[in-house]
Amino acid sequence: RLLSASPSDVLREARLQRAGQLLKAREGNVSEVAYAVGFKSTAHFSNAFLARFGVRPSSVTAAGDAAVQSADQGRGESLQA
């Protein structure tokens, strides 16, 4: 999967995975986490997170793992701890 992905796709995936970890650990609000992992726009980060995981980042901070786990069950994807 990594070999077929562009460098920007690999970097975005790493940033989104790290953002998921930070949000689950409650290491900051959505804006703080977005900027911490390298997104310049909170709106772009939120849309990219939604496209990747099927939930908004604000639902991860509000519900913790529950929102991500329920969204990931049907998609076979998850936020790695």
Side-chain angles (χ1 to χ4, degrees):
R1 184 171 145 173
L2 286 176
L3 295 177
S4 64
S6 70
S8 63
D9 289 341
V10 173
L11 182 57
R12 181 177 23 266
E13 176 66 19
R15 287 176 172 171
L16 291 171
Q17 287 291 336
R18 181 63 181 144
Q21 293 170 350
L22 293 172
L23 290 168
K24 285 173 26 177
R26 305 214 190 315
E27 294 290 330
N29 63 36
V30 173
S31 295
E32 292 167 340
V33 168
Y35 294 122
V37 299
F39 282 84
K40 296 186 187 320
S41 163
T42 305
H44 179 68
F45 166 72
S46 184
N47 290 332
F49 195 94
L50 175 63
R52 172 60 180 88
F53 297 113
V55 294
R56 291 269 177 208
S58 56
S59 67
V60 176
T61 57
D65 289 343
V68 174
Q69 288 174 352
S70 65
D72 291 339
Q73 285 176 349
R75 296 171 54 122
E77 301 168 347
S78 66
L79 293 176
Q80 298 171 354

